[in-house]
């Protein structure tokens, strides 16, 4: 079913309201490709009627969010942020925390984690760095607006094609077991990762604070004011001395001097709250 201009306007408003994703007129093919089946299934004559119906139906809202979001992801995506984690950021944070009340506690947020590959990759990179991984209190918090993506992350089972996208055989051997649906993440990693549905454009209630945040390849879908507000709020949840990674090509230079990019291992990252060892130690019990 081809959307008319009225349909496109109605769907763009709906999608922006549900998940902050900004679609413009040029996205008529995307609206048709991702929503036409849902429109027919809901018994609606057109997309504008469908948009009205969705606003009154929580289950339909979920279906629209799952259908319209782009969940493209892979293991160790872009590789350089994970090198920066292994060789610069984690060793320095480990040093800064030594002697503190909770020297082995690390909280890392994979914000817009899609189906979980980013969160599990962070856990594997962490295990590369520390001896006795099991003895560290590593908490990885993965969130995404798509309930289907979060359910897949929680399941942690990937088919042959998914498991081969960016995952070295060495990691597959160490952290995955062959299962009915493909390859299942083992308990060593799973215990470290907790996944939840969360809209990044809503207030961050009860998230706590983090040593590192990955928020990659999601803000590109938002309007400039939503993007700005997102990164300012993420900055407020970072421990002092903590680090933020954005997607490759997602520069934050327009957000002001505290967002000056830093480069480590060819990855660009940000430290909006500066580096103050004492404050890091005080807040690391959060
Ligand atoms: C392209 S994936 C990026 C996944 C991962 N961060 C990476 O870089 O590989 C974008 C993800 O953002 C999620 N997303 C879109 N809008 C969101 C919102 N308002 N709040 C939270 N997640 C959102 C989508 O569901 C999707 O899984």
């Amino acid at each position: 079913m081809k959307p008319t201009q009225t349909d496109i306007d109605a769907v763009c408003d709906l999608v922006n309201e549900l998940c902050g994703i900004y679609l413009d007129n040029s996205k008529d093919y995307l609206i048709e490709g991702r929503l036409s089946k849902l429109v027919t299934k809901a018994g609606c004559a057109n997309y504008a009627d469908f948009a009205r119906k969705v606003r009154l139906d929580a289950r339909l809202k979920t279906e629209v969010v799952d259908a319209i979001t782009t969940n493209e992801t892979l293991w160790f995506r872009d590789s350089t942020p994970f090198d920066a984690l292994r060789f610069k950021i984690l060793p320095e944070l480990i040093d800064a925390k030594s002697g503190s009340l909770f020297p082995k506690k690390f909280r890392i947020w994979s914000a817009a984690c899609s189906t979980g590959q980013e969160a599990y990759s962070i856990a594997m990179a962490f295990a590369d760095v520390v001896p006795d991984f099991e003895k560290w209190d590593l908490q990885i918090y993965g969130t995404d607006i798509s309930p289907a993506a979060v359910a897949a992350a929680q399941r942690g089972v990937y088919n042959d094609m998914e498991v081969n996208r960016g995952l070295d055989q060495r990691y597959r051997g160490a952290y995955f077991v062959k299962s009915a649906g493909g390859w299942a993440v083992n308990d060593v990693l799973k215990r470290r990762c907790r996944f939840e549905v969360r809209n990044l454009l809503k207030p961050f209630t009860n998230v706590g604070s983090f040593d590192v945040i990955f928020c990659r390849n999601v803000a590109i879908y938002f309007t400039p004011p939503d993007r700005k507000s997102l990164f300012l709020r993420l900055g407020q949840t970072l421990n002092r001395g903590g680090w933020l990674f954005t997607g490759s090509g997602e520069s934050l230079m327009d957000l002001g001097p505290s967002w000056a990019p830093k480069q480590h291992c060819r990855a660009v990252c940000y430290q909006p709250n500066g580096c103050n060892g004492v404050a890091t130690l005080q807040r690391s019990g959060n």
Side-chain angles (χ1 to χ4, degrees):
M1 190 189 301
K2 269 234 160 305
T4 63
Q5 189 58 53
T6 311
D7 288 334
I8 294 171
D9 292 345
V11 171
C12 289
D13 285 351
L14 174 75
V15 167
N16 189 255
E17 208 176 291
L18 292 182
C19 46
I21 293 175
Y22 172 74
L23 300 175
D24 61 23
N25 280 344
S26 68
K27 295 290 166 29
D28 54 341
Y29 69 92
L30 191 135
I31 291 171
E32 186 180 0
R34 297 198 182 176
L35 297 183
S36 67
K37 276 199 190 122
L38 287 182
V39 176
T40 310
K41 195 173 103 187
C44 294
N46 54 52
Y47 294 82
D49 280 352
F50 177 66
R52 276 189 286 277
K53 192 164 181 178
V54 171
R55 285 196 171 85
L56 306 172
D57 185 326
R59 191 183 48 81
L60 276 182
K61 282 183 188 168
T62 298
E63 289 188 354
V64 169
V65 169
D66 283 337
I68 208 74
T69 48
T70 300
N71 306 124
E72 164 67 13
T73 189
L74 64 149
W75 305 98
F76 296 98
R77 186 172 190 173
D78 300 332
S79 76
T80 57
F82 299 92
D83 288 339
L85 257 193
R86 289 185 191 96
F87 302 123
K88 165 87 182 169
I89 285 167
L90 290 176
E92 285 190 3
L93 285 173
I94 289 168
D95 266 359
K97 283 175 187 259
S98 70
S100 72
L101 216 47
F102 300 101
K104 294 199 160 180
K105 180 169 180 173
F106 283 80
R107 294 197 76 227
I108 302 181
W109 188 1
S110 169
C113 63
S114 185
T115 42
Q117 285 88 332
E118 183 174 84
Y120 292 125
S121 299
I122 294 169
M124 290 186 268
F126 192 97
D128 284 343
V129 172
V130 297
D132 304 326
F133 179 55
E134 301 272 6
K135 293 191 178 148
W136 293 75
D137 182 9
L138 170 67
Q139 303 171 12
I140 297 176
Y141 181 47
T143 64
D144 199 280
I145 198 170
S146 159
V150 168
Q154 284 165 337
R155 244 186 342 269
V157 178
Y158 301 91
N159 66 31
D160 285 332
M161 199 186 79
E162 288 164 337
V163 91
N164 282 324
R165 294 192 65 206
L167 190 70
D168 195 282
Q169 296 272 330
R170 175 170 70 91
Y171 290 115
R172 199 181 74 186
Y175 298 110
F176 290 75
V177 285
K178 194 88 183 93
S179 82
W183 294 86
V185 173
N186 73 10
D187 280 349
V188 175
L189 293 190
K190 251 190 156 172
R191 271 201 298 274
R192 307 312 166 116
C193 301
R194 182 168 67 88
F195 295 99
E196 253 176 27
V197 174
R198 181 177 281 276
N199 182 349
L200 288 173
L201 297 181
K202 294 273 159 66
F204 296 155
T205 36
N206 300 324
V207 294
S209 63
F210 298 92
D211 299 298
V212 180
I213 298 174
F214 276 56
C215 183
R216 305 188 303 152
N217 306 303
V218 60
I220 41 167
Y221 300 108
F222 299 159
T223 59
D226 282 344
R227 169 183 164 275
K228 185 172 180 183
S229 144
L230 169 64
F231 286 114
L232 291 178
R233 288 178 302 112
L234 285 175
Q236 288 160 4
T237 72
L238 263 186
N239 289 331
R240 212 159 165 78
W243 291 88
L244 169 77
F245 287 93
T246 58
S248 61
E250 288 184 289
S251 166
L252 302 185
M253 276 171 84
D254 59 312
L255 298 188
S258 61
W259 293 90
K262 314 230 165 47
Q263 223 181 0
H264 297 297
C265 305
R266 292 190 296 131
V268 174
C269 39
Y270 298 87
Q271 206 169 29
N273 301 321
C275 195
N276 176 333
V278 176
T280 303
L281 300 186
Q282 281 170 346
R283 294 194 63 193
S284 63
N286 287 346

